[in-house]
Amino acid sequence: MKLTLKIWRQNGANDKGHFKSYDVVANEEMSFLEMLDVLNEELINRKEEPVVFDHDCREGICGACSMVINGKPHGPLRKTTTCQLHMRHFKDGDTIHVEPYRAKAFPVIKDLMVDRTAFDRVIQTGGYISVNTGGAQDANNIPIAQSIAEKSMDAAACIGCGACVAACPNGAAMLFVSAKLNHLNLLPQGEVEKLERTHKMIDRMEKEGFGACSNIGACEVECPKDIQLINIARMNRWYFSSAFAGDQ
Amino acid sequence: MSWLSNFLTSAIGRKLVMSLTGLFLIVFLLIHLTGNIMILIPDEGASFSGFVEAMESNPVIKVMSIVLILGFVIHIIQGILLYFKNRHSKGGKYAVIAKDNATWASKNMALLGTIIFLFLIIHFMDFFIPMKVLKEYGHHQLYHKVIAAFQNPVYVVLYVIGMISLGFHLAHGFQSAFQTLGVNNEKYSPFIKKLGMLYSIIVPLLFALIPVVVFLTHQK
């Protein structure tokens, strides 16, 4: 299949950036990233700069691949990362726009690669459970209702790829932060530091320059791991508690 | 009290303010509609004038009208602040705009709010300012002033546009207010969403019906 790619080329954060058109011949079995690999091989052979993009596991669990394909983070297929998106979902002769995530807190490093360390700094402020010593205790000694464990596991599916931020017209990271908070706060081990964690992570999220949620819901639709808006509702409740609760 | 100011200026704190003032204005709309719809009762404005009289003579309503104006002002100012904050957080526009991942209204709340605000200016200039501020006429004459104003087709069209904008604003705003409050679960969210949709259709429709019916039935 013959494709026309309009790929965003940008040489560093201070460069203005522009779309450049490339013709590429792919086949339907290729993943989107493999198709880009083919393009990059050709560019290298022609002694041109290859297109820079993030990728790692290529099996949908690391959250590294991060581009916006035809206006959608991770492309047109729901609940799928770019690495798991196959070319059979495109047609011969298609023109495909490929851009980096656009958000203030995710500055472009080069071409399609953006700096997502803002997420790491949010995690550093509270995305952990403070058990500093001893071995892990027997899991069966910690009683937890199955329904709660499921909710936590649903939130834990977040791979921190940042598609929610990229899809949000407000550049907000509420779905990501709420996923991390629900993952930890709902479990008995994480419940101890629930309010403190909520306060710290949201505070860091704001300092990183992410926007405010207006419940548009594009994040939920574009999330490759199907993280639900209900996580944000729960996060808001914890945040209200953390803001208004006294020490007693 | 720094914790409170920190909370109220945080992203979620600002959203809470938007949500609470929004819900307050939603309740106000019902009261406003209850009175206005009486204009359509064919009794030469007796019911409507009675309602206006009751409102004007009630001290609770007098106090609430100040709270109401505060509610509007806070909702508008906070909305503007959030719009600029969020615009700053967004890195730029995509070449292709995805349309199937969110409703149009949810992405255009600021635009819809601006249209409603412009409508409110016209609405205040028509009735509130001449009657309550300039005291050009008493509230007993309000019915005739309303009937006279809606003889003008331009006003009728402006009011209908205002109400269509209100409908879309509410279609997102109603359920969004509950989500911000953290009221979202499988038990009552489907009900809130349905109620919000019904509210955002019926209330603006009834409001819009008033100028249209007056225009059609009171032609000289």
Side-chain angles (χ1 to χ4, degrees):
Chain A
M1 58 196 296
K2 282 184 183 167
L3 300 163
T4 305
L5 299 174
K6 303 234 183 247
I7 297 181
W8 185 262
R9 303 304 306 259
Q10 184 174 341
N11 200 2
N14 297 322
D15 184 24
K16 261 194 84 179
H18 62 280
F19 279 103
K20 196 160 186 242
S21 194
Y22 298 95
D23 291 320
V24 68
V25 179
N27 68 51
E28 295 186 334
E29 283 76 37
M30 285 176 182
S31 74
F32 201 87
L33 296 186
E34 285 165 341
M35 184 273 296
L36 287 179
D37 290 339
V38 169
L39 171 69
N40 274 347
E41 285 288 328
E42 282 175 27
L43 291 178
I44 291 165
N45 287 341
R46 298 205 305 247
K47 307 236 181 296
E48 286 179 42
E49 278 266 322
V51 177
V52 175
F53 61 90
D54 258 326
H55 63 99
D56 190 18
C57 76
R58 299 206 178 198
E59 53 187 15
I61 55 171
C62 77
C65 50
S66 59
M67 59 203 70
V68 170
I69 302 160
N70 284 340
K72 288 168 159 272
H74 296 295
L77 208 60
R78 297 267 159 98
K79 300 178 195 176
T80 308
T81 54
T82 303
C83 61
Q84 300 276 287
L85 172 68
H86 288 82
M87 297 314 293
R88 57 178 166 269
H89 299 289
F90 295 90
K91 291 194 301 288
D92 184 43
D94 272 0
T95 298
I96 306 169
H97 281 82
V98 192
E99 303 171 69
Y101 284 178
R102 299 195 191 279
K104 199 80 179 173
F106 289 165
V108 172
I109 297 170
K110 194 172 163 67
D111 299 339
L112 305 175
M113 183 189 266
V114 296
D115 179 359
R116 285 171 287 176
T117 50
F119 269 13
D120 298 340
R121 290 188 290 273
V122 171
I123 292 291
Q124 278 162 13
T125 59
Y128 52 81
I129 285 170
S130 304
V131 180
N132 299 322
T133 185
Q137 87 178 91
D138 180 15
N140 289 331
N141 281 340
I142 308 168
I144 179 168
Q146 181 62 21
S147 62
I148 304 286
E150 286 295 337
K151 287 188 180 103
S152 171
M153 276 301 285
D154 286 348
C158 170
I159 52 176
C161 66
C164 45
V165 177
C168 180
N170 306 333
M174 300 258 182
L175 197 67
F176 166 74
V177 178
S178 73
K180 296 304 163 194
L181 287 170
N182 276 270
H183 166 194
L184 298 172
N185 286 357
L186 290 171
L187 297 175
Q189 297 95 322
E191 217 254 337
V192 185
E193 298 166 291
K194 181 170 76 177
L195 298 187
E196 194 188 345
R197 174 184 301 114
T198 303
H199 182 79
K200 279 183 181 168
M201 288 180 77
I202 289 176
D203 197 42
R204 188 70 242 170
M205 172 190 82
E206 294 218 38
K207 290 200 172 90
E208 293 295 341
F210 292 107
C213 178
S214 48
N215 307 321
I216 289 166
C219 53
E220 182 186 55
V221 175
E222 301 298 352
C223 175
K225 296 295 154 185
D226 201 24
I227 304 295
Q228 303 284 308
L229 283 183
I230 196 163
N231 289 295
I232 299 180
R234 265 187 236 121
M235 172 178 78
N236 285 5
R237 297 205 291 265
W238 291 321
Y239 188 68
F240 300 149
S241 303
S242 80
F244 286 96
D247 284 338
Q248 305 302 314
Chain B
M1 290 296 272
S2 68
W3 65 269
L4 189 61
S5 61
N6 284 344
F7 171 74
L8 289 175
T9 51
S10 70
I12 298 176
R14 285 180 193 280
K15 288 303 301 175
L16 179 70
V17 171
M18 282 309 272
S19 158
L20 292 177
T21 49
L23 287 172
F24 173 63
L25 296 175
I26 283 172
V27 174
F28 156 73
L29 280 181
L30 271 187
I31 299 165
H32 194 22
L33 180 63
T34 311
N36 283 23
I37 207 73
M38 292 180 190
I39 292 171
L40 297 184
I41 299 172
D43 59 359
E44 293 297 310
S47 310
F48 178 70
S49 296
F51 183 84
V52 174
E53 178 67 41
M55 296 296 268
E56 287 291 319
S57 56
N58 189 334
V60 177
I61 296 296
K62 280 228 171 1
V63 175
M64 281 312 286
S65 65
I66 297 165
V67 179
L68 176 66
I69 289 171
L70 270 177
F72 269 113
V73 170
I74 295 170
H75 193 77
I76 291 164
I77 292 175
Q78 196 67 272
I80 294 169
L81 290 174
L82 274 168
Y83 172 77
F84 284 106
K85 175 189 167 73
N86 286 340
R87 208 176 65 160
H88 180 76
S89 296
K90 186 71 212 162
K93 275 202 167 134
Y94 293 112
V96 183
I97 308 290
K99 289 196 176 72
D100 61 345
N101 58 14
T103 60
W104 179 84
S106 71
K107 288 185 173 177
N108 291 281
M109 288 300 273
L111 170 72
L112 290 165
T114 308
I115 298 172
I116 296 166
F117 180 66
L118 293 176
F119 163 78
L120 277 179
I121 292 175
I122 298 168
H123 187 50
F124 267 58
M125 302 275 273
D126 281 348
F127 306 114
F128 187 86
I129 292 176
M131 188 178 93
K132 305 270 270 194
V133 183
L134 303 174
K135 311 233 183 262
E136 283 173 6
Y137 53 85
H139 57 262
H140 306 289
Q141 288 155 279
L142 185 58
Y143 176 78
H144 298 288
K145 290 288 175 187
V146 171
I147 301 296
F150 292 148
Q151 303 291 316
N152 185 345
V154 178
Y155 272 138
V156 176
V157 171
L158 286 176
Y159 271 68
V160 170
I161 292 172
M163 287 310 105
I164 291 171
S165 305
L166 178 66
F168 280 103
H169 198 74
L170 286 169
H172 178 66
F174 192 102
Q175 53 95 12
S176 174
F178 287 95
Q179 162 76 11
T180 297
L181 285 176
V183 182
N184 177 351
N185 80 16
E186 67 287 352
K187 274 189 188 160
Y188 34 73
S189 287
F191 171 73
I192 289 171
K193 283 189 177 150
K194 274 189 200 116
L195 183 69
M197 207 35 82
L198 276 177
Y199 190 99
S200 57
I201 293 169
I202 294 172
V203 171
L205 187 71
L206 289 176
F207 269 122
L209 216 58
I210 298 165
V212 172
V213 170
V214 168
F215 178 74
L216 293 177
T217 55
H218 286 77
Q219 280 299 343
K220 289 184 186 99

